[in-house]
Amino acid sequence: MPPGFVDSHSHLVFAGDRGAEFAARMMGKPYDGGGIGVTVAATRAATDDELRRLLAARIAELQALGTTTIEIKSGYGLTVHDEVRALQIAGEFSGETTFLGAHVVPAEYAEDRAAYLDLLVGPMLEAAAPHARWIDVFCEPHSPHAFDAEEARHVLTAGAAAGLGLRVHGNQLGHGPGVLLAVELGAASVDHCTYLDDTDIDALAAAADATVATLLPGVEFCTRSPYPDAARLLAAGVSIALATDCNPGTCYSSSMPWVISLAVREMGLSPAQALFAATAGSARSLRRTDIGRLVIGNRADLAVLDAPSYLHLAYRPGVPIARTLDLHGIAQ
Ligand SMILES: [Zn+2]
């Protein structure tokens, strides 16, 4: 019986569907982050109850696959009202809520990015901070919709001043400044890390006590991108985690067992290393010590495997052998 999976990166509060975008990408259309705007429009148009119902269904889905802790980001509202609404609804399901007003610049501000940044680090942050534990930014100069290093630094510095912990989407679409910025600012996690150079890896290794490299191989799978070499990161001394990045654009899967199987098959991890990264590693990326390990004093936060060994998580990809244990049901 392993610890319950800790999915430390998800975007679960959204409405709408981007199956057609996925199909087009599989037929060769490149991804540049622009599809997020489609989900923003659908999410803004949804009622609170619709968003709550959709989120509840997604939570039930991931619990049925063995995940016991889920981090949930906002980022499909991108107005003060809609970001706060997403965080409030997410907070009904998880204490690990992340303000991601810096997901993309919304279309209505495309010609005036500075005005959106002023809104983001001003009234939006002030309204969102009471409902969030973390702040995140899509630091990606390769996307015209996301944020460059200077903008990301501005967002993260303001978030830290508002009392939020720092997370970064970095180095996803190409080599970029996200990893070094995350390390410099002491972020708990820098996520994706698809494109890393030696300087990035050295910096992550030197910062291994503070900053975790969270790998999201479901995204590489669903966008047909190259996988980072997780074995090399471990050998260099980097702290790594695994998470789903479950979102309607680049990885619409909430399955941590599938992520583990990808990490073993495609990123060079052993089954034990992958399981550790999906539990203790991702707990560390959330700066949690009460989950992700089965030790005396921790919560009895378990996944149950209908299999003779944890090896089957990678050995039987796509087969639902993991589930959560309903301790409340047992106690009663
Ligand atoms: Zn993400």
Side-chain angles (χ1 to χ4, degrees), residues 96-120:
E96 299 293 347
T97 54
T98 300
F99 170 48
L100 183 57
H103 200 184
V104 292
V105 176
E108 63 270 25
Y109 284 95
E111 306 304 321
D112 194 356
R113 299 174 64 89
Y116 184 65
L117 273 167
D118 287 346
L119 173 68
L120 178 61

Side-chain angles (χ1 to χ4, degrees), residues 9-11 73 100 103 136 169 191-192 216 245 247 250:
H9 186 139
S10 85
H11 307 250
K73 302 176 197 298
L100 183 57
H103 200 184
D136 197 340
H169 283 67
D191 300 31
H192 287 288
L216 309 167
D245 195 15
N247 77 86
T250 55

Side-chain angles (χ1 to χ4, degrees), residues 14-21 38-39 42 58 248-249 252:
F14 69 88
D17 177 280
R18 283 157 60 191
E21 176 189 313
V38 174
T39 301
R58 291 169 192 141
Y252 195 6

